[in-house]
Amino acid sequence: MNANEKIGKSVVLKFVERVLAQILLFFLSIILSRLLSPSDYGIYSISILYVVLIGNTITNGVYTIILQKKTMSDVEISSVALGVTGVASLITFLFFLVSPFLASFYGSYELTSVFRVSSLLIVLIATNSVLTGLTYREMNFKISFYSNIISILASSAIGIYMAMKGMSYWSLIICELIRILVLNIIMFISFRKINWFQFSFKAIAPIYKENNKFIGINLFINIIENLQSFIISRNYNADVLGNVSRGRSLPSMLSNPIVDTINNVLIPPLSANRTNQIEFKSLYRKAFTSFSLVSFPLMSLLLINSKDLIVLLYTEKWIGLTFFIKIFSIYYALKPINMLVLDIYLSIENNKMFIKVSKISNILFIVFTVISIPFGLKPFILVSNLMYMICVNIYSLFCMRRDFNYEYNEQYSDIFSFILIIITSLLITQIFELSGMNLLVRLIIRSSSFLVFYLIFVFLTKKVIFIESLKFIRNTFFKNK
């Protein structure tokens, strides 16, 4: 099997995994949303806000280094794993001690036990970062597939049972703990040939020296990413935070499989071809075109059907989600542009530019967030997400043109032409008045109409890309049959 065939099959397996995982999580979210209230989701969001921030900060750099290093010995692997787990365990213990003070900050000492139980996620996230890095490094997507699906099924069963027993937000917290625990156990078993009890300061020192370069920027990035939740949790009640978090989760649930598949599968070949400028450019252009072709229409379907979908799936008690789903649908349609640019810099180990682009992006986020706080919740969400993401993408694509000769006409062909097609399809679809119809019938007609117009415009204006996509599907699925 040559490199292109291996990449193609990896794309398919990873995409199937992510789609299946998101389908399972989607049905889980429907069941739990019907059993629980926005307030329960708000308390859950508060409980994991700090532990996820801490866990991602201390591990993101290690994950990146594992992917970037050309070779890693068993001693280096086990040393990194033990080192990360040890640091995470110490931080978990400290977080356990400060939980009462954190609970008092929110004016509810009942949150003390919630914070303490949730703190176990820090250790689980730290361990998972090493295991996931090794899995993607070896492109062992079979293990990734089985571990993700099994962990979701196991945690879902427990979460639904607890929710049915009236355990409110605890069902969400325990569900997440079980998911990552099972995920880690399966991945750990897959690497059982490694002696995990070897430790060498000499082996780990260069890795942690490199990781220290990421600690500051990762902390900054994670604080920025959670800044909205900090502000909302402090200034509004749990119901509002629950609506905002759920409004974000549905678009991200649909967008992440596409982005993750492209990122995880294309970064290794990008790294391998970084000296071949023609092939390198061809690969990153395929990445931009792929997500434009699929992600834009997917988020658009969610945008135009948001209200009806909420009533159909979550019941009318969640109708407050409508505005947030609309805003975050656009946000997650645009976010992959910036993410892909950052991954391209990482693939060539240009950590300096990665940090620079990240800093500029986060400075813009802070500016838009701060200036929008006084205007109320909805302007705050609109400006600090949508307006911010538009400006970030303009800057990110400017950097691509400067550093990789990604010319404006190429950007238009790969990205902006699809946006124009989406806008045109949406405008035509909105002409039809469907308010008097049955909710489900209205959803089907509106979605079908949009997709028909979209595919027609894509075929007429982007025929080459459309045909190449069909060829890729045919070669991947039917070539050896």
Side-chain angles (χ1 to χ4, degrees):
M1 184 185 297
N2 61 38
N4 288 332
E5 289 178 335
K6 185 176 181 180
I7 291 171
K9 290 185 180 298
S10 297
V11 169
V12 173
L13 184 58
K14 186 62 185 174
F15 183 73
V16 170
E17 173 209 325
R18 295 298 296 169
V19 170
L20 182 56
Q22 294 303 319
I23 290 174
L24 293 174
L25 290 173
F26 175 67
F27 283 109
L28 173 64
S29 71
I30 293 174
I31 296 171
L32 290 178
S33 294
R34 288 173 170 266
L35 294 171
L36 304 175
S37 67
S39 178
D40 292 327
Y41 275 91
I43 293 173
Y44 167 71
S45 298
I46 294 172
S47 72
I48 66 169
L49 187 59
Y50 297 93
V51 297
V52 172
L53 167 66
I54 296 169
N56 288 341
T57 298
I58 64 176
T59 60
N60 280 358
V62 172
Y63 170 82
T64 301
I65 292 167
I66 290 174
L67 289 180
Q68 287 183 346
K69 280 183 69 68
K70 293 181 179 179
T71 59
M72 282 191 76
S73 66
D74 285 359
V75 175
E76 287 179 315
I77 293 172
S78 62
S79 297
V80 169
L82 291 173
V84 169
T85 305
V87 172
S89 299
L90 177 61
I91 294 175
T92 300
F93 175 72
L94 295 175
F95 193 86
F96 187 89
L97 295 179
V98 303
S99 291
F101 302 100
L102 194 57
S104 67
F105 174 74
Y106 287 98
S108 175
Y109 287 100
E110 294 178 358
L111 288 175
T112 300
S113 57
V114 172
F115 284 128
R116 284 178 169 172
V117 174
S118 300
S119 68
L120 296 174
L121 280 168
I122 298 174
V123 177
L124 295 177
I125 290 172
T127 307
N128 181 259
S129 69
V130 177
L131 294 170
T132 302
L134 292 173
T135 302
Y136 289 152
R137 176 188 176 85
E138 297 182 6
M139 298 187 74
N140 192 347
F141 294 114
K142 281 188 178 181
I143 293 300
S144 176
F145 178 87
Y146 289 120
S147 59
N148 271 299
I149 301 306
I150 293 173
S151 64
I152 291 172
L153 290 172
S155 61
S156 298
I158 294 172
I160 292 171
Y161 175 79
M162 293 179 67
M164 293 176 66
K165 291 297 181 179
M167 299 185 71
S168 61
Y169 51 81
W170 283 111
S171 59
L172 296 169
I173 296 170
I174 300 302
C175 181
E176 184 64 9
L177 284 168
I178 295 297
R179 185 186 70 82
I180 303 182
L181 177 62
V182 174
L183 186 66
N184 288 351
I185 290 172
I186 296 174
M187 285 186 174
F188 181 81
I189 293 172
S190 71
F191 291 105
R192 59 186 178 276
K193 292 182 179 180
I194 297 175
N195 183 356
W196 292 100
F197 298 100
Q198 304 175 91
F199 186 82
S200 168
F201 283 107
K202 184 178 180 180
I204 203 175
I207 295 174
Y208 272 91
K209 183 179 179 181
E210 185 69 19
N211 180 55
N212 288 337
K213 299 178 183 178
F214 290 91
I215 290 288
I217 188 64
N218 282 335
L219 177 61
F220 187 58
I221 289 173
N222 285 305
I223 289 176
I224 294 304
E225 288 180 347
N226 292 280
L227 184 59
Q228 288 182 357
S229 296
F230 286 129
I231 294 171
I232 295 170
S233 66
R234 191 69 182 89
N235 295 285
Y236 299 92
N237 58 35
D239 282 354
V240 173
L241 181 59
N243 275 313
V244 174
S245 64
R246 295 300 295 151
R248 181 190 292 271
S249 67
L250 185 55
S252 67
M253 189 183 298
L254 295 175
S255 173
N256 288 343
I258 299 169
V259 176
D260 289 349
T261 299
I262 294 171
N263 289 357
N264 293 327
V265 175
L266 286 181
I267 285 181
L270 278 172
S271 297
N273 290 280
R274 57 189 171 187
T275 57
N276 185 339
Q277 294 184 5
I278 296 176
E279 183 64 21
F280 185 81
K281 187 170 189 175
S282 173
L283 284 169
Y284 75 65
R285 287 196 65 184
K286 285 179 181 178
F288 281 111
T289 304
S290 298
F291 94 79
S292 297
L293 186 64
V294 179
S295 182
F296 287 163
L298 188 61
M299 291 298 102
S300 298
L301 282 173
L302 186 57
L303 173 69
I304 61 176
N305 292 311
S306 54
K307 186 176 180 179
D308 289 341
L309 280 173
I310 291 166
V311 175
L312 179 67
L313 300 177
Y314 300 143
T315 72
E316 292 189 358
K317 69 180 177 181
W318 287 96
I319 201 67
L321 286 177
T322 305
F323 171 80
F324 303 112
I325 286 183
K326 287 180 182 294
I327 295 300
F328 286 118
S329 294
I330 303 174
Y331 173 84
Y332 279 102
L334 299 175
K335 185 178 180 180
I337 298 174
N338 176 247
M339 293 177 63
L340 284 171
V341 171
L342 292 174
D343 285 334
I344 289 168
Y345 281 115
L346 283 177
S347 70
I348 61 171
E349 298 186 30
N350 192 340
N351 296 332
K352 182 179 179 181
M353 275 307 302
F354 170 83
I355 292 173
K356 181 180 179 180
V357 174
S358 297
K359 282 183 177 180
I360 297 296
S361 301
N362 291 321
I363 289 171
L364 288 172
F365 179 78
I366 292 174
V367 171
F368 280 105
T369 299
V370 171
I371 64 175
S372 61
I373 290 175
F375 298 100
L377 180 64
K378 289 186 177 180
F380 169 70
I381 296 296
L382 176 65
V383 174
S384 63
N385 287 282
L386 193 53
M387 301 307 296
Y388 148 74
M389 187 50 63
I390 291 172
C391 292
V392 164
N393 284 340
I394 291 173
Y395 173 71
S396 298
L397 291 174
F398 166 79
C399 292
M400 286 294 297
R401 182 176 184 271
R402 181 193 62 199
D403 297 333
F404 299 102
N405 297 317
Y406 190 26
E407 299 299 335
Y408 292 135
N409 63 312
E410 295 171 328
Q411 295 177 17
Y412 173 81
S413 175
D414 299 343
I415 302 169
F416 296 108
S417 60
F418 285 98
I419 294 177
L420 291 177
I421 291 172
I422 287 293
I423 293 173
T424 304
S425 302
L426 286 173
L427 291 175
I428 295 175
T429 304
Q430 292 301 312
I431 294 175
F432 302 101
E433 179 58 48
L434 306 174
S435 58
M437 294 185 178
N438 174 271
L439 186 148
L440 186 58
V441 173
R442 186 164 65 239
L443 277 169
I444 294 172
I445 293 177
R446 187 188 293 126
S447 301
S448 301
S449 301
F450 168 78
L451 287 176
V452 168
F453 288 124
Y454 172 74
L455 291 174
I456 289 174
F457 287 131
V458 167
F459 184 77
L460 292 176
T461 61
K462 314 290 293 182
K463 186 175 180 179
V464 174
I465 294 175
F466 188 78
I467 293 174
E468 285 182 352
S469 298
L470 292 179
K471 286 182 179 179
F472 172 78
I473 295 172
R474 184 193 66 192
N475 292 335
T476 302
F477 287 100
F478 304 109
K479 186 175 182 179
N480 297 321
K481 293 188 178 182

